[in-house]
């Protein structure tokens, strides 16, 4: 036992060291250490200890800690030293296969659009066009390109159809569906938490713990919770401690501190080299036009520009998403994402690996609603390069799981199953009723979860929800909230007799307060 | 719910005279508009619409009726009407400028230069042509500033244009001729309509310093619409509504280069709300959202300072016309204040509207206007339910009652100890339903006995 734990630990340490070795933090630490040699407190006899002490007092040790913490959060712990890379992406074979065929479908759709419209996947812009785009960089939204021929590559409901057909070939659950079986759309046996486990997991959301989103409402005197919570938040920021911040935001972020707290948790510091990197991406956008750019334009125009609150940020969305498509550093996350970036071949060299490139360069093909991942962040970050980095980090930590097929507990398949199980277990009458009238609950809640509720909740509520995603480093809260919403509107839903009517009851979530809903569902409902 | 008592009344002027604060059998109203306010009046329990020549207890009139009829309409004590006779002292650009300038001088005399700077929230404005020479002096002192010409009376949105060259202001006919020669796409332009046939209606305009560094969100310029209800000027009693909105311009803000020889026109006017209809759906943010956005960006303290400065604008502007407006007790008025925030988070008063648009541009907007108007009618209190000491009614907070009103517990008369916090909650959560329920419940049970 001890031996295995040790090997696991040393393996993890080795991997983290490996990843941090090439990072800018490493070179900064080296530079700092070298620079400290001139200081009087560094003595030759105790060089190692003195430098360590210096790094501690100057805050660099804290930064290293934050970086390590970040790595631990993002990269999965190695299961076994001999595990092949596909296993890290996704351990279950049937899931990998399903993801593979889904990807083939997406690519086929993209390629056929390409051929139909005779548009190349990528082309270099003529100088005149480059100049024009540079001038218009801050107001790309004023452009009205003809996007009628473009259509989104897929929409969430297409993806749901695929998930509904997922089956584990090694699992036979009997012939007749009955109350003992799962009545929902997802028919794969993944382990999901039940309410007692969720209560434990989300213990900081309990009734006896102060929450922003509940205990900061106008009727509650701020001395009871809010003032102290804000003070603690300011301390966390002064200490610049990622781990403490992550624990802190479980109770919600004060509005004025949220931007910095999220940056601390995601370990984003907006160094000069980060700004430079963003500028480089921007120049890539200026120089080359990609087919996916039109998809991005179309998505922004269809979704964010139509939203009452996010239309204002239209230009920022282009500035983030166009750069995102060209960011090859995003490719790194495919080592733990079940998806694989699509490959494209230079004209005439199909199949020849030397002429293969990933397309788009970041390997992520946007779908309908993709821009809504970025929109809420515009509320917090106004400097393009910082906004960009925050979004990129959110994507490679969380959002990618919402549109790839995997067995991960925060993957969309698990979230769907968690949602359906919670509903079937705790509101069986409602679930059965909805199923009978052809309104499977997941058909309605799927789009909420795929978008992490962006565009469905009021912005301040959405940000309180995303506080908890960051705090718990998990997306399971999305499934719990979806179930809580159904529970909240159960009375009305019991009256409806069609899918359309059920959709209508759940069409407008903009008045919901998420924290009370979550608390009631998890901690105050008699099951 | 209105308590029914003393049912029945006689027609014409001989109707049963009730004491001012007694609950009435039914409240007869007239309404000159056909939008949200009509819906609200029709739905109000115990209120009955009267036709053309019928007697009324309440009239939501329009300004033209007021101008023609107010002076020779007898109104009983209890009757209420939604405008002050000479509200234009506050709402016409040339008058408010005059009143603010005079008020500022008064404050400087009484309280010193520093205190007087609290009145510096109105962009420098000169009336044309009477202050033409003063304007020229200012123009020469500060070359390069962009000035905006605005019509004095209605903000129809027409006739607003920017200029940098003095000679453009001199001859209106020449300017109009020049305008007619301009063709798109170089400039946006408008022909302004003269309500009167006389072409040289130069006294209809003011030249105002154009704020060149507005605060931008998403690269867009916006202004704030805030609602202030004045129940009387002497003493000054004013309420501030918690809801409001930010109106965004559709275009990205740029001060395009102004050609030396021509006036520069923008479509600033297009964004101005016409009195009746705002076709720009989706170009508004509720003010709560705006307040949160600013707090996330600048922190709570900076935002509180900004909103306190806006309170200052409301109060000072009302105080500046306090002595000139005829404070008829039949009158109340719901003003729409237009505020522009600049990049230093300083608020500027653009104008005050006595007839803010009550037409809704979206469902959310409709609900806001319903709340606003319902609560306005609660405060007018034709039903006689209030004590007069309330500090909050629905979404309205009493901002000024012959003196600043404190947020501390208790009613208007309760003495305040400790530090003073203004009783304003602009951009706060508007949990009016709950508050109204609590407010009206004791009175209801009391009257039943």
């Amino acid at each position: 036992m001890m031996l295995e734990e040790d090997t696991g630990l040393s393996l993890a340490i080795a991997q983290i060291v490996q990843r941090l070795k090439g990072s800018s933090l490493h070179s900064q630490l080296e530079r700092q250490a070298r620079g400290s040699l001139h200081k009087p407190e560094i003595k030759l006899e105790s060089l190692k200890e003195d430098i360590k002490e210096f790094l501690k007092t100057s805050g660099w040790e804290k930064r290293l800690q934050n970086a390590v913490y970040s790595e631990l959060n993002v990269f999965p712990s190695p299961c076994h030293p001999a595990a092949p890379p596909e296993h890290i992406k996704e351990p279950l074979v049937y899931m990998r296969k399903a993801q593979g065929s889904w990807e083939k479908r997406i690519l086929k759709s993209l390629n056929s659009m390409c051929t139909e419209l005779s548009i190349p996947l990528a082309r270099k812009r003529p100088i005149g066009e480059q100049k024009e785009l540079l001038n218009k960089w801050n107001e790309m939204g004023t452009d009205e390109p003809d996007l009628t021929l473009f259509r989104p590559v897929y929409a969430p409901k297409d993806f749901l159809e695929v998930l509904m057909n997922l089956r584990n070939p090694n699992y036979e659950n009997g012939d007749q569906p009955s109350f003992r079986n799962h009545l929902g759309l997802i028919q794969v046996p993944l382990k999901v938490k039940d309410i007692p486990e969720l209560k434990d997991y989300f213990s900081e959301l309990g009734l006896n713990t102060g929450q922003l989103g509940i205990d900061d409402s106008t009727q509650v005197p701020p001395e009871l919770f809010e003032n102290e919570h804000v003070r603690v938040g300011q301390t966390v920021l002064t200490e610049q401690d990622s781990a403490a911040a992550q624990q802190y935001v479980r109770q919600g972020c004060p509005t004025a501190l949220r931007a910095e707290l999220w940056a601390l948790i995601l370990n984003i510091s907006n160094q000069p080299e980060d700004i430079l990197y963003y500028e480089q991406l921007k120049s890539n956008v200026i120089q080359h036009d990609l087919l996916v750019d039109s998809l991005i334009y179309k998505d922004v125009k269809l979704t964010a520009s139509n939203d009452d609150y996010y239309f204002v940020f239209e230009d920022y969305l282009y500035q983030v998403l166009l750069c995102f498509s060209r960011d090859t550093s995003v490719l790194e996350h495919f080592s733990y994402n079940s998806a694989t970036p699509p490959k494209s071949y230079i004209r005439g060299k199909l199949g020849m690996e030397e002429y293969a490139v990933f397309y788009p360069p970041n390997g992520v093909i946007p779908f309908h609603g993709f821009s809504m991942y970025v929109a809420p962040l515009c509320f917090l970050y106004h400097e393009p390069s910082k906004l960009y980095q925050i979004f990129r980090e959110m994507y490679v930590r969380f959002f990618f799981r919402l549109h790839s097929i995997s067995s991960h507990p925060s993957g969309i398949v698990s979230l769907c199953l968690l949602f359906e199980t919670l509903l079937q277990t705790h509101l069986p009458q409602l679930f059965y009723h909805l199923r009978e009238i052809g309104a499977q609950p997941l058909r309605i809640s799927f789009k909420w979860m795929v978008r992490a509720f962006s565009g469905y909740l009021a912005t301040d509520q959405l940000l309180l929800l995303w506080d908890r995603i960051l705090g718990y480093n998990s997306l399971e809260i999305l499934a719990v909230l979806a179930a809580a919403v159904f529970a909240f509107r159960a009375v009305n839903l019991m009256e409806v007799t069609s899918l359309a009517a059920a959709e209508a009851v759940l069409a407008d979530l903009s008045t919901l307060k998420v924290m009370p809903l979550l608390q009631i569902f998890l901690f105050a409902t008699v099951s | 719910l209105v308590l029914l008592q003393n049912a029945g009344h006689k027609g014409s002027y001989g109707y049963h005279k009730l004491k001012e604060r007694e609950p009435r059998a039914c409240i007869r109203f007239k309404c000159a508009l056909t939008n949200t306010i009509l819906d609200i009046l029709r739905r109000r329990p115990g209120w009955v619409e009267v036709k053309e020549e019928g007697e009324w207890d309440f009239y939501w009139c329009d300004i033209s009726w007021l101008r023609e009829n107010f002076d020779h309409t007898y109104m009983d004590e209890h009757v209420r009407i939604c405008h002050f006779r000479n509200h234009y002292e506050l709402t016409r650009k040339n008058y408010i400028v005059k009143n603010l300038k005079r008020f500022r001088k008064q404050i400087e005399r009484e309280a010193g230069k520093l205190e007087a700077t609290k009145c510096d929230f109105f962009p420098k404005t000169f009336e044309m042509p009477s202050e033409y020479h003063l304007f020229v002096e200012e123009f020469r002192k500060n070359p390069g500033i962009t000035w905006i010409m605005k019509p004095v009376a209605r903000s129809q949105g027409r006739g607003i244009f920017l200029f940098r060259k003095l000679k453009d202001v001199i001859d209106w006919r020449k300017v109009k001729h020049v305008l007619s020669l301009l063709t798109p796409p170089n400039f946006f332009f408008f022909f302004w309509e003269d309500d009167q046939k006389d072409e040289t209606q130069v006294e209809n305009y003011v030249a105002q310093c154009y704020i060149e560094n507005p605060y931008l969100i998403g690269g867009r310029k916006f202004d704030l619409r805030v609602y202030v209800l004045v129940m009387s000027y002497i003493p000054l009693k004013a309420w501030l509504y918690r809801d409001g909105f930010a109106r965004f311009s559709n275009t990205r803000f740029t001060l395009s280069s102004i050609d030396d020889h021509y006036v520069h026109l923008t479509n600033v006017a297009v964004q101005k709300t016409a009195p009746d209809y705002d076709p720009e759906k989706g170009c508004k943010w509720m003010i709560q959202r705006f307040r949160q956005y600013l707090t996330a960006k600048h922190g709570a303290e900076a935002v509180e300072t900004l909103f306190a400065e806006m309170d200052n604008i409301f109060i000072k502007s009302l105080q500046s016309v306090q002595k000139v407006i005829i404070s008829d007790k039949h009158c109340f008025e719901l003003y729409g204040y237009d505020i522009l925030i600049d990049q230093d988070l300083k608020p500027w008063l653009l104008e005050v509207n006595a007839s803010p648009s009550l037409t809704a541009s979206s469902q959310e907007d409709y609900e806001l206007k319903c709340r606003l108007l319902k609560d306005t009618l609660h405060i007018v209190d034709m039903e006689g339910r209030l004590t007069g000491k309330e500090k909050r009614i629905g979404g309205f907070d009493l901002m000024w009652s012959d003196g600043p009103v404190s947020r501390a517990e208790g009613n208007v008369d309760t003495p305040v100890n400790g530090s003073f916090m203004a009783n304003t909650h602009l951009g706060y959560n508007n949990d009016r339903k709950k508050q109204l329920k609590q407010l009206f419940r004791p009175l209801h049970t009391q009257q039943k006995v």
Side-chain angles (χ1 to χ4, degrees), chain B residues 280-343:
Chain B
E280 304 289 353
K281 184 212 177 301
C283 283
K284 289 181 180 174
W285 269 14
M286 289 294 122
I287 207 162
Q288 284 82 358
R289 196 68 64 240
F290 168 72
R291 193 172 176 143
Q292 276 169 0
Y293 176 89
L294 278 193
T295 308
K297 193 166 175 192
H298 300 280
E301 211 181 303
V303 172
E304 273 172 34
T305 308
L306 167 65
F307 277 72
E309 285 178 18
M310 290 203 278
D311 289 348
N312 176 62
I313 290 180
F314 308 136
I315 293 170
K316 291 270 183 318
S317 57
L318 293 172
Q319 285 177 323
S320 73
V321 296
Q322 206 179 353
K323 301 214 174 82
V324 290
I325 291 201
I326 302 159
S327 188
D328 188 324
K329 69 157 181 272
H330 299 105
C331 303
F332 69 92
E333 209 154 23
L334 179 65
Y335 296 111
Y337 272 73
D338 290 343
I339 306 278
L340 182 76
I341 316 280
D342 72 16
Q343 278 174 13

Side-chain angles (χ1 to χ4, degrees), chain B residues 217-237:
Chain B
I217 295 181
R220 289 164 205 245
K221 186 173 159 175
F222 64 93
D223 62 19
L224 298 178
R225 163 51 61 88
V226 182
Y227 295 101
V228 175
L229 174 65
V230 175
M231 293 307 295
S232 85
Y233 276 95
I234 300 181
L236 181 59
K237 194 161 186 189

